[in-house]
Amino acid sequence: MLSYRHAFHAGNHADILKHSCLTLILSSLLKKDKAFTVFDTHGGGGLYQLDYQGLVHTGEAEKGILKLLEHISQVEPPQSLTTYLELVKKYVTQGMYPGSPEISKAMMRQQDKLFVAELHNTEIEILRGNLSILDKRKNQTPSISIHHESGFSLLKSCLPPLVKRGLILMDPSYETDSDYEQPIRALSQAAKKWETAIIALWYPLLIHRSQQLDNMLCQVAEGFSLACRHNGDRKVITAELHIAPATEDQAAPRLYGSGMMILNCPYLLEEQLQENLPYLVQALAPSQGSWEAREWS
């Protein structure tokens, strides 16, 4: 199914969790001069207008990134959240919100390589246009390879990369049953081919999909563990941001939160998330929100 358009949801609470995690992982990779590779399997449009009628109608950016930026003017954010906030503010002042390909492009260096996949026929053209915009840094932008295909297929054909440091970011729309099944196979195979990769899997928290989600996370973690069993212990964590309680109340939001499963978790990332998540709850959902960050076992 290719009906999902992220332009209706850009800058919401799920983006805040996903993109703040992404900036922390990229910052970790940037600590070394050595080049790295990033695979973004579901690129979307890459850059979104905050005045887009569909986004204004849903109100998700207003309740998400705009609310968060208002909060930081009153309550100082944790240091580990500032890279994300400072980057995003530059776009918001121009009436835009950056998607994950744009965030990666903005943070990566000339020696780094970014692969982005997008299957939607409309979104791929928007993505190509957005990522081709001349960057003020000119020769400091990374090499970018854009693919009009499934991100699962991209991983199958392009792994392992020539540069063995790096990240796989995966965030399917989770509209269909297959979106809960394909990450299991794709990430298990990816871990076998590219054992040193950091893998970041975003997932939605939906009451009616809870059993499928639990099954997916268990199997992804198990597949990763089996793939890396000859290479020592590799840390796996999950981090979740809840903007409402998990309830079947009709008045409750359908998407009550989201999470990130990080495989081969970078050093100190769990501690940084344990610092950031309470702040995000305070900013976005102080009366009903909650958070969780833990090592997967």
Side-chain angles (χ1 to χ4, degrees):
M1 184 182 296
L2 293 174
S3 62
Y4 181 81
R5 298 291 302 280
H6 194 66
F8 289 82
H9 311 285
N12 68 358
H13 60 87
D15 267 1
I16 290 170
L17 174 65
K18 176 172 53 182
H19 295 153
S20 61
C21 283
L22 174 61
T23 58
L24 288 172
I25 295 170
L26 292 173
S27 295
S28 176
L29 289 166
L30 286 165
K31 288 178 180 178
K32 293 183 179 180
D33 292 334
K34 190 175 179 181
F36 62 87
T37 306
V38 172
F39 285 86
D40 191 329
T41 64
H42 296 75
L47 193 60
Y48 305 95
Q49 296 292 334
L50 291 173
D51 63 357
Y52 172 62
Q53 186 176 2
L55 182 58
V56 173
H57 177 72
T58 63
E60 292 194 34
E62 183 180 358
K63 292 179 286 189
I65 189 59
L66 299 180
K67 188 174 183 179
L68 175 59
L69 292 179
E70 182 180 355
H71 184 77
I72 69 171
S73 66
Q74 303 167 8
V75 183
E76 185 176 356
Q79 182 63 36
S80 51
L81 197 57
T82 56
T83 297
Y84 166 71
L85 293 170
E86 289 173 1
L87 188 155
V88 168
K89 273 195 292 186
K90 294 176 183 177
Y91 290 89
V92 171
T93 56
Q94 301 176 61
M96 297 180 292
Y97 183 82
S100 53
E102 180 67 24
I103 289 172
S104 296
K105 173 188 169 186
M107 292 186 67
M108 294 170 74
R109 306 156 302 186
Q110 186 179 13
Q111 66 264 40
D112 304 321
K113 178 73 174 178
L114 173 61
F115 290 83
V116 187
E118 177 53 49
L119 188 57
H120 196 289
N121 291 332
T122 301
E123 291 293 274
I124 187 66
E125 296 306 324
I126 296 171
L127 176 67
R128 285 171 174 154
N130 285 331
L131 289 187
S132 68
I133 295 172
L134 290 177
D135 195 292
K136 293 179 180 179
R137 300 176 304 159
K138 295 182 180 177
N139 64 343
Q140 296 180 26
T141 54
S143 170
I144 302 174
S145 180
I146 302 173
H147 298 257
H148 186 194
E149 64 176 312
S150 160
F152 305 118
S153 299
L154 176 69
L155 295 182
K156 190 173 182 179
S157 61
C158 291
L159 295 185
L162 293 176
V163 176
K164 298 299 193 293
R165 296 179 69 230
L167 164 70
I168 297 170
L169 175 66
M170 181 175 288
D171 60 333
S173 65
Y174 295 99
E175 290 184 295
T176 66
D177 290 343
S178 65
D179 281 339
Y180 289 84
E181 298 161 358
Q182 291 188 83
I184 299 169
R185 295 188 295 271
L187 294 180
S188 176
Q189 293 170 0
K192 290 176 183 178
K193 291 182 178 181
W194 190 15
E195 294 179 352
T196 59
I198 301 165
I199 298 173
L201 174 64
W202 176 85
Y203 56 89
L205 294 173
L206 300 158
I207 291 290
H208 70 288
R209 292 283 195 177
S210 59
Q211 187 171 352
Q212 286 174 292
L213 174 63
D214 289 344
N215 178 66
M216 182 189 74
L217 295 179
C218 287
Q219 292 200 50
V220 167
E222 182 180 354
F224 176 77
S225 179
L226 289 172
C228 300
R229 67 181 182 273
H230 299 303
N231 292 279
D233 292 332
R234 295 184 181 272
K235 192 172 185 179
V236 178
I237 70 166
T238 52
E240 295 184 355
L241 174 63
H242 310 154
I243 58 152
T247 175
E248 295 184 4
D249 184 350
Q250 294 295 318
R254 184 168 177 267
L255 179 71
Y256 68 88
S258 67
M260 295 289 290
M261 172 173 267
I262 314 293
L263 311 159
N264 197 16
C265 180
Y267 177 64
L268 293 181
L269 179 61
E270 183 180 7
E271 290 80 359
Q272 291 172 323
L273 290 170
Q274 289 174 343
E275 182 180 45
N276 290 353
L277 288 169
Y279 183 87
L280 294 177
V281 169
Q282 180 188 20
L284 301 176
S287 61
Q288 298 189 80
S290 61
W291 65 276
E292 178 183 290
R294 65 180 180 89
E295 186 169 358
W296 191 268
S297 56

